[in-house]
Amino acid sequence: MMSNAKTYYNPLNGEYTKILASSADTGGEYSLLEVYLMPGGGNPPHYHTRFTEEFFAVEGKLGLLYEKDTVYLEPGQNRLVPIGVEHRFFNDGTEPIVFRIMLRSGQPGFENFIKGLFGLVNDGRTTKSMIPKNPLYGAALLYWGDTHLKNLYFYIFSPLASLAYRLAKISGSEKKLLKTYCGD
């Protein structure tokens, strides 16, 4: 595991995330993140097509939307989210919670997604819904994080996403985003 793991903070959803073990650390086997989530914090429902996520409750009660069901994990409990299953995490309690997420296989792109998105949020370069104001940054983040949303904006944007990602690469936007937020 990574020593002196850096903490990334997202003030819009009350989330602090540490990359405890990067894909590089584990030879690509997995990425391990630890999340400290404030009351009321969480993320929107989404799914992934390239990796599974396994959630491990550490402190407090972790709320998970798993497909259409709400599940609560107590410390010591875990839940595997297979590829393609819509899910979200949240804290609807009154105290902060801590949980870990293991991504299999390792996901350097998702690690950069966290760094880039949280950096943009902290710099005021997203909407309050965490959508980057620069659509090319948004395209790069969605690609890196393999994050798919089931909402109108995403359905409208999806057909253009691969084109927008190519434009992000060609224009240097992806490189700038990496350099600004993802270099450790």
Side-chain angles (χ1 to χ4, degrees):
M1 288 201 193
M2 205 183 236
S3 59
N4 301 321
K6 182 175 176 184
T7 299
Y8 302 91
Y9 174 57
N10 183 337
L12 292 178
N13 72 349
E15 179 181 340
Y16 296 83
T17 298
K18 283 184 189 179
I19 299 170
L20 297 178
S22 70
S23 179
D25 294 334
T26 67
E29 187 178 332
Y30 63 90
S31 297
L32 181 63
L33 313 174
E34 184 170 82
V35 178
Y36 178 92
L37 190 63
M38 300 300 289
N43 61 358
H46 64 281
Y47 62 96
H48 306 285
T49 61
R50 297 191 301 251
F51 59 91
T52 63
E53 279 186 284
E54 190 164 6
F55 292 85
F56 300 86
V58 177
E59 294 176 22
K61 186 164 56 171
L62 168 60
L64 285 178
L65 174 68
Y66 184 88
E67 293 184 315
K68 304 268 185 242
D69 298 324
T70 299
V71 177
Y72 289 94
L73 301 180
E74 299 286 344
Q77 294 180 318
N78 63 297
R79 171 64 70 106
L80 178 68
V81 178
I83 289 173
V85 171
E86 187 177 38
H87 61 283
R88 73 179 285 260
F89 60 78
F90 60 91
N91 177 1
D92 61 2
T94 58
E95 298 292 324
I97 62 172
V98 177
F99 61 97
R100 291 186 175 170
I101 306 169
M102 184 172 286
L103 312 174
R104 290 190 189 91
S105 60
Q107 294 298 308
F110 190 87
E111 296 163 20
N112 285 336
F113 169 82
I114 293 292
K115 295 171 187 179
L117 178 60
F118 288 21
L120 290 169
V121 165
N122 280 285
D123 286 348
R125 299 174 76 183
T126 67
T127 66
K128 290 185 181 181
S129 300
M130 294 186 277
I131 297 170
K133 293 176 182 175
N134 179 331
L136 296 181
Y137 286 174
L141 290 172
L142 289 174
Y143 178 80
W144 295 347
D146 183 35
T147 301
H148 305 272
L149 308 172
K150 290 186 177 179
N151 66 34
L152 183 59
Y153 174 81
F154 190 77
Y155 284 127
I156 291 169
F157 185 67
S158 288
L160 303 172
S162 66
L163 173 62
Y165 177 64
R166 277 184 264 147
L167 287 173
K169 288 182 81 67
I170 292 166
S171 70
S173 294
E174 180 185 46
K175 195 174 204 174
K176 184 175 180 183
L177 190 59
L178 283 165
K179 182 179 179 186
T180 303
Y181 299 110
C182 302
D184 290 324

